[in-house]
Amino acid sequence: MALEVLDALDSARTQWYHVTAIVIAGMGFFTDAYDLFCISTVAKLLGRLYYFDPSTNKPGKLPTPVNNFVTGVALIGTLCGQLFFGYLGDKLGRKKVYGITLVLMVVCAVCSGLSFGASAKSVMGTLCFFRFWLGFGIGGDYPLSATIMSEYANKRTRGAFIAAVFAMQGVGIIFAGLVSMVLSSVFKSYFDAPTYTQNEVLSTQPEGDFLWRLVLMIGAVPAMLTFYWRMKMPETGRYTAIIEGNAKQAAADMARVLDIEIQADQDKLTEFKSANNYPLWSNEFFQRHGRHLIGTMSAWFLLDIAFYSQNLTQKDIFPAMGLIDKDVDMNALEEVFQTARAMFVIALCGTFPGYWFTVAFIEKLGRYKIQLIGFFMMSFFMFVIGVKYDYLKNDNAHLFAFLYALTFFFANFGPNSTTFVLPAELFPTRVRSTCHALSAAAGKAGAMVAAFGIQTYTLDGTPKKVRRAMLILAVTNLFGFCVSFLVTETKGRSLEQISGEDGRESELAATPNNDRVPVTRQVSRTETM
């Protein structure tokens, strides 16, 4: 029981509007990554500016609870935003709420840089307030961008298109390092200062207070540039046809942006909708999709413990790797520059290639294999770093940096990409955005474990604690490898065939590594009611 509009979308040749949709949705993820990770480049500057204590004989440092909250509060907002906007995306439509997320991101990125107060506590408090709502807007981008891209794409290139949208996160991380590096270099050239060892007070330039604010506010720019084009996008044909029940409008919308001819077979819609009219929280849903939902949620949860631990603790691990000098041998702006430079190099050499390897190979290898390979290799390299930490730190910093970069590469040529792709493909249209949101929110719960738990081990740079953190992450990734067997391969099939919406219940769940044509059976209308 296939609808003409859906078949036309699945078989449409790749054309310019697909590329446009990737850019429009991808710029949201560019902004998301910039906003989430630029805080790592300026967190130590905040400590020098607001928490300097001469009695410690060390540069100012954010207290552990403050540091964890400053770097982690946006993740709490992201989790809440994912659930809220994911639900609205199914109830109101993808397009209707798509622009709201960008408005929130623009306003809160600017306000984060304008954080005010007469004391360190008040400045950090307002910063955390606005970063929570910034994360709330970022959260909405996850389910909406993934769902929109999956519903626009044809079945031959759908995985690559969704992965390309997510790959813009890698570009955003690079730009977070690049912008911080360039701005700190400019500030440093105008406001040079002695190192902390030479002068404890003058080593922290007061102009650094403008630097961190500017770094955060620049995150509003790409979101503003994208807003107009998001508002020009039509609602997805699948939502208009299946959820709103208007095949004629769906055909007209898709024909307007894609060079395809579509017949509006309105007469089939009633039967199509009635065959899939079961609630999200029902036995029917869990019989059909429960295993997949558990698989996508648990894999994303475990992945983000490792992925956000890597990104948020870079500033603490870089000194151990010899990528930046000791804090007492730098002034405040120099520390920002060296931290940002190290982040830029690691992202450029490890993070960025991993994303685009996934785009290149996801339709050849499939989602399932890439996820398994990524989890296994991350576990292996983190285990090596943990076991050989003292040797790597003291005797072979270059090998340390190489192994650390490989963990980023296999995170992105692996589960960091596939956990985003799979929830956008496995579930029915009317709950696709919500199920993606639940999976993504589970991931952000894992990110909070990283921000408020794992990060605590790395803050003081104690070798024993860093080693323990790496071994914990190695075991976490091993669990991720195991739960990946709960999901199934989706490449080369229509969304309706994967979810069973077209009247066929796929047996893919029985053969996760599915390179052969699956056996399907016809599901009667009475079975699906």
Side-chain angles (χ1 to χ4, degrees):
M1 181 179 59
L3 296 177
E4 176 67 25
V5 64
L6 307 184
D7 283 345
L9 289 171
D10 281 330
S11 58
R13 61 180 175 81
T14 301
Q15 46 198 279
W16 182 247
Y17 191 76
H18 289 124
V19 178
T20 304
I22 290 171
V23 173
I24 294 170
M27 283 303 292
F29 271 92
F30 173 94
T31 307
D32 298 347
Y34 181 94
D35 287 334
L36 285 175
F37 297 118
C38 67
I39 193 68
S40 294
T41 65
V42 296
K44 289 197 171 185
L45 175 62
L46 293 173
R48 287 195 185 230
L49 288 168
Y50 295 103
Y51 289 91
F52 173 59
D53 182 359
S55 65
T56 63
N57 295 319
K58 291 183 178 180
K61 187 176 183 180
L62 292 175
T64 298
V66 176
N67 178 82
N68 291 351
F69 213 70
V70 166
T71 56
V73 69
L75 302 175
I76 301 174
T78 302
L79 187 154
C80 298
Q82 286 166 338
L83 295 174
F84 180 75
F85 287 111
Y87 175 78
L88 289 185
D90 283 332
K91 293 300 177 184
L92 302 180
R94 289 54 160 134
K95 180 189 174 181
K96 287 181 181 178
V97 293
Y98 205 25
I100 299 173
T101 63
L102 279 185
V103 172
L104 262 177
M105 288 157 65
V106 169
V107 172
C108 293
V110 172
C111 290
S112 293
L114 297 176
S115 297
F116 51 85
S119 66
K121 184 177 180 180
S122 57
V123 173
M124 294 302 109
T126 52
L127 174 61
C128 289
F129 174 81
F130 289 121
R131 281 191 64 79
F132 171 85
W133 290 107
L134 173 66
F136 195 81
I138 289 171
D141 240 32
Y142 279 74
L144 294 174
S145 291
T147 300
I148 285 172
M149 199 66 248
S150 70
E151 293 179 352
Y152 268 126
N154 62 58
K155 63 184 180 182
R156 297 184 308 279
T157 57
R158 184 181 59 241
F161 286 176
I162 303 172
V165 169
F166 195 60
M168 291 300 290
Q169 187 179 76
V171 183
I173 295 173
I174 286 175
F175 266 77
L178 181 62
V179 169
S180 300
M181 186 170 62
V182 170
L183 289 178
S184 60
S185 180
V186 171
F187 271 68
K188 188 160 60 78
S189 67
Y190 282 98
F191 310 107
D192 199 9
T195 66
Y196 182 83
T197 302
Q198 293 169 335
N199 191 307
E200 296 181 356
V201 175
L202 295 181
S203 66
T204 301
Q205 299 96 321
E207 292 81 8
D209 196 55
F210 294 101
L211 173 62
W212 74 263
R213 296 174 186 276
L214 190 57
V215 168
L216 298 187
M217 292 171 72
I218 284 175
V221 175
M224 286 189 289
L225 296 176
T226 311
F227 182 78
Y228 171 77
W229 299 105
R230 279 202 180 182
M231 294 301 93
K232 293 268 291 181
M233 294 178 76
E235 184 57 84
T236 70
R238 282 181 161 86
Y239 187 90
T240 303
I242 297 173
I243 309 305
E244 295 182 346
N246 192 339
K248 182 177 181 181
Q249 184 63 48
D253 286 344
M254 293 301 98
R256 178 161 57 89
V257 296
L258 297 172
D259 185 19
I260 52 176
E261 292 185 6
I262 305 176
Q263 298 298 318
D265 44 359
Q266 189 73 31
D267 56 320
K268 292 184 181 179
L269 269 179
T270 302
E271 183 182 358
F272 191 96
K273 292 181 69 175
S274 65
N276 296 282
N277 192 27
Y278 50 89
L280 175 62
W281 306 112
S282 66
N283 288 333
E284 182 73 15
F285 175 85
F286 280 98
Q287 287 174 6
R288 292 188 176 200
H289 309 291
R291 198 184 91 174
H292 291 157
L293 185 59
I294 293 170
T296 57
M297 289 180 69
S298 56
W300 208 333
F301 171 78
L302 293 165
L303 176 276
D304 272 8
I305 293 177
F307 182 72
Y308 280 87
S309 292
Q310 288 173 292
N311 281 284
L312 294 176
T313 61
Q314 286 183 96
K315 64 186 187 302
D316 307 307
I317 293 177
F318 287 155
M321 297 166 60
L323 290 179
I324 67 175
D325 297 329
K326 293 180 179 179
D327 53 4
V328 295
D329 295 330
M330 298 182 285
N331 61 48
L333 295 180
E334 179 66 24
E335 187 171 38
V336 175
F337 174 79
Q338 290 197 24
T339 301
R341 182 181 62 188
M343 178 178 173
F344 173 78
V345 170
I346 291 290
L348 189 64
C349 298
T351 304
F352 182 77
Y355 281 110
W356 292 100
F357 264 67
T358 300
V359 175
F361 292 105
I362 194 167
E363 299 298 353
K364 296 180 177 68
L365 295 177
R367 294 75 160 141
Y368 177 77
K369 287 181 181 178
I370 289 175
Q371 183 159 312
L372 287 175
I373 292 169
F375 266 129
F376 181 82
M377 297 306 291
M378 287 173 69
S379 182
F380 174 76
F381 288 120
M382 288 183 173
F383 180 77
V384 171
I385 291 172
V387 171
K388 292 292 186 179
Y389 181 75
D390 291 326
Y391 164 73
L392 293 169
K393 178 178 182 293
N394 298 321
D395 301 320
N396 205 328
H398 293 296
L399 180 59
F400 192 173
F402 177 69
L403 293 174
Y404 192 60
L406 283 175
T407 66
F408 280 93
F409 176 83
F410 282 105
N412 298 302
F413 181 46
N416 192 42
S417 297
T418 57
T419 53
F420 179 78
V421 174
L422 283 166
E425 299 181 313
L426 286 168
F427 304 104
T429 305
R430 53 194 179 69
V431 293
R432 182 170 293 128
S433 180
T434 302
C435 288
H436 195 285
L438 289 169
S439 303
K444 287 302 165 285
M448 285 189 284
V449 172
F452 297 103
I454 303 298
Q455 191 175 198
T456 305
Y457 284 97
T458 64
L459 281 174
D460 58 5
T462 305
K464 183 179 179 181
K465 289 184 177 181
V466 176
R467 186 189 308 115
R468 185 181 303 169
M470 284 297 172
L471 292 175
I472 290 172
L473 295 179
V475 173
T476 300
N477 289 318
L478 199 57
F479 279 122
F481 177 86
C482 295
V483 301
S484 295
F485 289 99
L486 293 172
V487 299
T488 185
E489 186 53 75
T490 57
K491 68 174 182 177
R493 295 173 175 83
S494 72
L495 295 175
E496 290 68 40
Q497 182 182 354
I498 295 165
S499 65
E501 287 176 279
D502 62 358
R504 293 179 295 173
E505 185 176 60
S506 173
E507 299 297 332
L508 291 174
T511 55
N513 187 11
N514 178 35
D515 289 326
R516 53 188 183 274
V517 178
V519 179
T520 58
R521 67 178 177 84
Q522 192 71 24
V523 180
S524 69
R525 186 171 169 182
T526 56
E527 282 183 274
T528 59
M529 292 295 285

